[in-house]
Amino acid sequence: MTQRGYTTEELGRLNNFAVEPKVYVDDVQRVGFTQYAEQLNGRLAMIGFLSALAVELVTGHGVVTWLTNL
């Protein structure tokens, strides 16, 4: 039985630790092919491509050559 922010158990004893917080439910889908996932994948691909160009400019060799000579 819930009364004024505290609960009592079956035997009528006070159980003030059983008050559960209100749950916030977000209806936004976070998995699968969503707008958020596609934007994140695109941004990570741009970072990877620019990193590959930077490695080529700094070393004078392509990424595959640079990786095989490590």
Side-chain angles (χ1 to χ4, degrees), residues 10-25:
E10 304 86 38
L11 300 176
R13 294 183 292 190
L14 180 63
N15 188 359
N16 57 356
F17 298 107
V19 177
E20 296 183 16
K22 294 184 180 184
V23 178
Y24 174 73
V25 178

Side-chain angles (χ1 to χ4, degrees), residues 50-63 66:
L50 289 176
S51 299
L53 284 177
V55 166
E56 189 168 345
L57 287 174
V58 169
T59 62
H61 300 290
V63 175
W66 181 73

